[in-house]
Amino acid sequence: MKKTILWSILAFMSFIVYGCGSGDFFTGTTISGVASKGPITGASVAIFAVTTSGHRGISLATAQTQADGKFSANIGSYTGAIFATMSGSSASYTDETSNATTPLGTTKLRAATVITAGGSYNLAITPFTELACQLSYNPNTATFTNITANNTQVSTSFLLPNIITTLPANILKTASAVTNPDTINYSLALAAFSELIYNSGSPITIAAGVSQLSTAITNNNGNVSTVWSPAVSSLASNTNIQAGLTNVPVNIAFSSPTYSAIISQPITITAKVTKFDGTPVASGTTVTFTASSGSLGTLTATDVNGNATVVLTPSAIGTTTVNATATVSGVTVSTKTAASVTVVKNPNDPGSVTLSSSASSAVVGQTMTLTANVGVVGGGPSNVTPGSPPAVGTPVTFTIVHGTGTLGTPTTTDANGNATVTLTSATAGNITLSASAGTSPVVTSNPITVAFTPNPAAPATVTVSASSTSSPADGVTPITFTITVKNYAGTALLNVPLAIGNSGVGTLGTAPATTGNTGSAQITLTSSTAGPATVTASATASGVTATGTAQVNFTAFTRPTTAIVKVLTSGTLASGTKIGSIQADVTYTTTKGLTPTSAVASGLGTASGILFEQNLNYAVGDVRLGLASTAGITTGEFATVTFTIPASGTTLPVSGDFAITGASVTDTNGATLAGTISVISTVTFQ
């Protein structure tokens, strides 16, 4: 029971102790480090928390350095500031200048940093981290302040990468080859530190050397001082480090972190490649550039100042990033911060397009004018006024977004920034349009919509109707076509020009020129050949043409040789009244070659005891008939006249070519019978 209570008290005390740091303590954070002034072997490393007041807190972990100076420690998941000390009377390192194994003795080196979250961290412990700790530590108050800022100051002052997170490598010529420029840079600085403490001819302690570096920072306002430069320069003759490392590139940086460029206009990007001592790499060193967008021209190798250039031609508005790398003796260094190129439009390029129309609507067939007003982006070195006209002759593209219409050839911009184009449409409806100018990117106007309304004077329909769909191919019997032209509202259009044609058999009559005052016109078609025919009529007005068709057929036909004309009397006779005599002249056309060949009494109207007389050649185009009876004659057919039709060469006769003239009808007493007449009953062609 007592043991249980004792362990509970100890656990509670542990909780109190670990809770006194600047952060929380759990498990999981690993510190991987290197102690180096040349790799330090056999040294003890102790890591402490730094309280929120800046004082040294609890011990978090301890470790031993290996032959290569490396160590590892787990500090749980502590977050906050830490500092580490490295010491050991039995520890030693191989000095880069003397190449001698040197005891560490009473020398202690420290490093301080901030752990922001659980995970894995690098921690270098070197004379440079000791220098940063001295800048951070106030011996009067025994507190640490500005840890991160002082680490950065030392890194910058001696042209080093991050002195805490970069782990220096072993660059002695007996060690493996090193190719990482950051570790080379750091290790060369440590070798230069060795040169510093040996330069006087009588070696000084590490602590004295750190003191000289502190003085260099103070006197030089953070730059490499005259105290440091001789030590760096003497590395060139150091035969104990790997050959050529002092000439490899360890830093490459752009002459400016930011550039401004105009799209499509070349801009020169410059990167400087330097060695550990800040001097340029050898002239002619190849530098490779890459860009996130745009095109890179032919690059130059480094000049005597270590500068290499490349020409970038931007291709997109926005930010383009450029990086550079250089390789010497197997060591490749890259820019740690990319150059940022802000790409903008040319201030004289189109920046706005406003589209307008001469009218919101027009009649189909009419023309309206579209105007695009272009304004420039503005700004730039010359402080161009935004929206002012671009250069005269700037091309503008007009586009039909929706609808059907025809655009003319657009003009380029004038002195006021206006470009125009004509718009017509053969159909009614709405048309949506836009205009654009410039490139990369193209600037497009807001769309506008115009309307084309039907033209009341333009033909919308042409109707061709036939009097018959079929007719004999006799060369005589016509089919009559009626052509009617109407507008979109169905109103007949007067005096509209017509074009009429026929495909197929037959011959058209004289074609009418227009629809005349009635809005319609007629034309005939006859044929002596059997087969189909299609009559097409087109009407054109106000720039619009409409067309209609009708199809008919001509059937096979045999030419008749005889025309038989039957004559009768018609009317109502009074009761008990009969016809005593009939006289009538049958007249016929004289232009179709008809020849009267016979005339006989016929039909129900005749009776016994009649006297029939005929004079076939009574007169030109006239056959006289006479009929008399004492017994009386009833009404009805009384005569048949036969004519011969020529076999060819003349137009065939029609029923209308025959008529009755000079007719008289009397009763048996010789009195004229009123209301009784003679007419042609039928005309038959055989």
Side-chain angles (χ1 to χ4, degrees), residues 103-245:
L104 189 62
T106 59
T107 297
K108 291 184 178 181
L109 297 178
R110 297 172 296 173
T113 188
V114 177
I115 304 299
T116 58
S120 298
Y121 288 83
N122 284 350
L123 180 65
I125 303 177
T126 70
F128 295 101
T129 63
E130 169 64 24
L131 172 59
C133 271
Q134 290 185 14
L135 295 176
S136 299
Y137 185 70
N138 185 336
N140 296 321
T141 59
T143 58
F144 287 90
T145 58
N146 302 321
I147 292 173
T148 301
N150 288 316
N151 286 336
T152 300
Q153 181 185 2
V154 172
S155 300
T156 303
S157 297
F158 296 96
L159 305 178
L160 295 176
N162 189 304
I163 61 171
I164 296 294
T165 60
T166 302
L167 302 181
N170 187 348
I171 63 169
L172 290 173
K173 63 181 180 181
T174 56
S176 300
V178 184
T179 58
N180 185 310
D182 285 344
T183 62
I184 291 172
N185 196 19
Y186 205 159
S187 298
L188 286 175
L190 293 174
F193 183 80
S194 290
E195 296 286 351
L196 173 68
I197 62 179
Y198 271 87
N199 266 348
S200 63
S202 176
I204 60 176
T205 64
I206 292 176
V210 172
S211 177
Q212 286 194 32
L213 296 183
S214 178
T215 301
I217 291 178
T218 303
N219 292 343
N220 262 351
N221 297 319
N223 296 318
V224 176
S225 71
T226 54
V227 174
W228 180 240
S229 296
V232 172
S233 299
S234 63
L235 285 178
S237 58
N238 189 326
T239 60
N240 295 320
I241 63 175
Q242 296 177 26
L245 287 186

Side-chain angles (χ1 to χ4, degrees), residues 562-652:
T562 303
I564 301 171
V565 180
K566 292 187 178 292
V567 184
L568 58 74
T569 56
S570 72
T572 303
L573 298 175
S575 179
T577 302
K578 290 188 176 182
I579 297 172
S581 66
I582 303 171
Q583 181 177 313
D585 290 349
V586 178
T587 60
Y588 58 92
T589 181
T590 60
T591 61
K592 297 184 179 180
L594 293 170
T595 303
T597 56
S598 67
V600 297
S602 64
L604 298 176
T606 60
S608 60
I610 65 171
L611 175 64
F612 180 77
E613 292 183 354
Q614 50 86 16
N615 186 350
L616 299 177
N617 299 306
Y618 174 73
V620 176
D622 192 343
V623 175
R624 172 158 287 189
L625 302 176
L627 188 66
S629 174
T630 57
I633 306 168
T634 61
T635 57
E637 181 185 316
F638 70 89
T640 299
V641 181
T642 301
F643 295 86
T644 299
I645 301 172
S648 63
T650 60
T651 303
L652 287 173

Side-chain angles (χ1 to χ4, degrees), residues 425-515:
S425 179
T427 58
N430 291 337
I431 301 177
T432 302
L433 308 106
S434 66
S436 58
T439 57
S440 301
V442 174
V443 180
T444 302
S445 72
N446 289 330
I448 64 169
T449 300
V450 298
F452 279 89
T453 58
N455 187 345
T461 61
V462 175
T463 303
V464 182
S465 59
S467 59
S468 174
T469 59
S470 179
S471 182
D474 58 9
V476 176
T477 306
I479 297 177
T480 301
F481 296 87
T482 302
I483 301 163
T484 304
V485 180
K486 295 181 179 180
N487 65 8
Y488 75 96
T491 302
L493 296 179
L494 311 183
N495 301 310
V496 176
L498 296 174
I500 304 172
N502 171 44
S503 61
V505 302
T507 302
L508 287 170
T510 303
T514 69
T515 56

Side-chain angles (χ1 to χ4, degrees), residues 58-81:
I58 61 171
S59 173
L60 298 176
T62 60
Q64 288 290 119
T65 64
Q66 305 302 310
D68 54 4
K70 293 181 180 179
F71 65 89
S72 179
N74 190 305
I75 64 169
S77 288
Y78 173 86
T79 57

Side-chain angles (χ1 to χ4, degrees), residues 241-408:
I241 63 175
Q242 296 177 26
L245 287 186
T246 56
N247 291 317
V248 299
V250 294
N251 187 60
I252 181 170
F254 291 104
S255 61
S256 173
T258 59
Y259 292 83
S260 295
I262 293 174
I263 191 166
S264 300
Q265 293 189 8
I267 182 173
T268 299
I269 307 294
T270 302
K272 185 171 185 175
V273 188
T274 53
K275 299 181 292 185
F276 160 71
D277 60 1
T279 61
V281 294
S283 176
T285 299
T286 300
V287 177
T288 301
F289 293 86
T290 59
S292 60
S293 63
S295 60
L296 293 171
T298 303
L299 56 86
T300 65
T302 57
D303 58 18
V304 293
N305 296 312
N307 292 322
T309 62
V310 70
V311 174
L312 169 70
T313 302
S315 62
I317 301 298
T319 300
T320 296
T321 56
V322 179
N323 281 289
T325 60
T327 301
V328 175
S329 301
V331 177
T332 300
V333 62
S334 301
T335 46
K336 293 179 175 60
T337 302
S340 177
V341 183
T342 301
V343 183
V344 298
K345 290 198 69 173
N346 189 318
N348 294 306
D349 281 351
S352 64
V353 180
T354 304
L355 183 61
S356 61
S357 175
S358 59
S360 60
S361 65
V363 172
V364 168
Q366 292 181 343
T367 299
M368 65 173 64
T369 300
L370 305 175
T371 300
N373 180 260
V374 182
V376 299
V377 175
S382 301
N383 196 26
V384 178
T385 302
S388 59
V392 173
T394 299
V396 175
T397 300
F398 295 84
T399 303
I400 294 177
V401 179
H402 179 74
T404 302
T406 301
L407 291 169

Side-chain angles (χ1 to χ4, degrees), residues 15-64:
F15 174 79
I16 293 174
V17 170
Y18 286 127
C20 291
S22 63
D24 299 325
F25 182 78
F26 300 98
T27 60
T29 298
T30 299
I31 302 294
S32 297
V34 169
S36 182
K37 210 313 300 123
I40 300 173
T41 181
S44 298
V45 177
I47 302 174
F48 298 90
V50 175
T51 67
T52 53
S53 62
H55 293 85
R56 188 178 79 172
I58 61 171
S59 173
L60 298 176
T62 60
Q64 288 290 119

